[in-house]
Amino acid sequence: MNSISLFDLSRRVAVVTGGNGGIGRSLALGFAAAGASVAIIGRNEEKNQRVLSELRELGQPAIALRLDLSQREGLAPAMQKVEDELGPVDILVNNAGIVSISGGILQETAEGWDAVIETQLNAVFQFSKLAAQSMTERGYGKIINIGSMYSYFGSGLAPSYSAAKGAIAQLTKSMAVELAPHGIQVNAIAPGWIQTDMTAPIRTDDLKEMHDEIILRTPAGRWGQPDELIGTGVFLASSASDFVTGTMIRVDGGYAVR
Ligand code: NDP
């Protein structure tokens, strides 16, 4: 076996939720560069179209679907559209997410809580179920969930986010156990602190203290870039990881081991 071809994604169809954003865009482009056809999903049409152009420049078939993942009735038609236009889904990345920095449960509202859980957890279950139904028919599939440092640690500022990301770790393991006999691997990536729109507020003067703490605690001494997730993403999406399932790989510059 050629070690490079292990990472080849030619003839694979990948869906990346939140594929118009920081980490999702990098993963989508990384998959396309490795040969995959890619569907991205996001709510903002302008961002969708921008990333779709970048994907098409790489020469692979690609589509962008405008969809709010918290609207459950839209999920099955979206998956069907991907399969109609690109073919059966081989790779699903559950990446879309929002955060509610409420300041803790004393400040958290039910609406804020629900919005985070719906996008970061419930949609992951729903979309994974749809993808797995298709993957089991072919006995092949890769599901990649995006966890967080808050899959491991508590957050006094964003408890809904931490609750969802902790659940992602357990859901990843549970789906891995269930789906392994069907030839489907389910893994997660836990990014450390990555420079994207989601973390932009931390790089303003208002949250300078938090910013400095992050840099101090991260042994690499810097923010991660979205493209630094591509290697792990392609590994988990490809045959290189066929005997890897139920794990969460940290890409965090050492944050979690300090
Ligand atoms: P961005 O804000 O850059 O991207 C978030 C993406 O999610 C966007 O594409 C957004 O698209 C999409 N999205 C959000 N809500 C919905 C929804 N209801 N329906 C459809 N799409 C939605 O953030 P990141 O790239 O940083 O985050 C990606 C993932 O990585 C998230 O799960 C996040 O929790 C996780 N993560 C990020 C870390 C970081 O440091 N940046 C660290 C650890 C984990 P649109 O706006 O068009 O809806």
Side-chain angles (χ1 to χ4, degrees):
M1 168 70 78
N2 175 334
S3 60
I4 296 296
S5 69
L6 280 172
F7 297 90
D8 182 20
L9 299 182
S10 304
R11 293 177 300 282
R12 298 294 183 206
V13 174
V15 176
V16 182
T17 72
N20 71 28
I23 292 172
R25 170 184 168 275
S26 285
L27 292 176
L29 290 171
F31 293 164
S37 303
V38 179
I40 58 165
I41 290 176
R43 295 166 300 182
N44 182 308
E45 189 57 12
E46 203 184 313
K47 283 165 42 185
N48 279 352
Q49 290 306 319
R50 212 177 307 144
V51 176
L52 183 59
S53 306
E54 294 182 290
L55 284 166
R56 289 192 170 150
E57 273 170 31
L58 292 172
Q60 307 301 338
I63 59 171
L65 301 184
R66 186 180 186 185
L67 176 70
D68 182 343
L69 289 159
S70 66
Q71 305 299 311
R72 293 186 186 189
E73 65 283 358
L75 301 187
M79 189 61 82
Q80 190 59 54
K81 191 165 170 56
V82 173
E83 300 222 336
D84 290 347
E85 297 208 12
L86 297 180
V89 172
D90 301 297
I91 300 156
L92 168 65
V93 184
N94 290 303
N95 162 80
I98 53 169
V99 63
S100 158
I101 304 179
S102 61
I105 59 155
L106 296 177
Q107 280 84 34
E108 184 75 73
T109 63
E111 294 73 26
W113 177 274
D114 286 347
V116 172
I117 299 297
E118 195 60 37
T119 310
Q120 293 271 21
L121 181 59
N122 294 345
V124 175
F125 151 62
Q126 300 281 346
F127 226 42
S128 298
K129 179 173 177 170
L130 290 165
Q133 282 166 343
S134 167
M135 290 169 177
T136 50
E137 285 170 19
R138 282 162 288 116
Y140 181 89
K142 303 276 184 179
I143 298 176
I144 303 168
N145 297 324
I146 303 298
S148 161
M149 290 299 99
Y150 292 120
S151 298
Y152 305 95
F153 307 122
S155 168
L157 292 177
S160 54
Y161 185 85
S162 171
K165 292 301 193 186
I168 284 296
Q170 289 301 106
L171 180 60
T172 298
K173 290 182 228 171
S174 300
M175 291 198 299
V177 171
E178 176 187 350
L179 298 173
H182 299 282
I184 301 167
Q185 289 82 51
V186 186
N187 292 290
I189 302 174
W193 294 90
I194 310 296
Q195 204 166 337
T196 67
D197 287 353
M198 182 178 279
T199 53
I202 306 172
R203 291 182 295 279
T204 62
D205 285 347
D206 289 353
L207 292 173
K208 187 169 179 344
E209 206 176 313
M210 185 176 179
H211 171 273
D212 291 349
E213 271 174 30
I214 288 168
I215 299 300
L216 198 64
R217 178 168 168 179
T218 303
R222 62 172 177 84
W223 286 83
Q225 295 304 314
D227 280 1
E228 293 183 290
L229 279 297
I230 293 175
T232 308
V234 170
F235 167 63
L236 291 178
S238 68
S239 295
S241 60
D242 279 354
F243 201 54
V244 178
T245 199
T247 194
M248 182 177 271
I249 300 179
R250 294 192 304 265
V251 183
D252 66 346
Y255 182 90
V257 295
R258 168 159 272 172

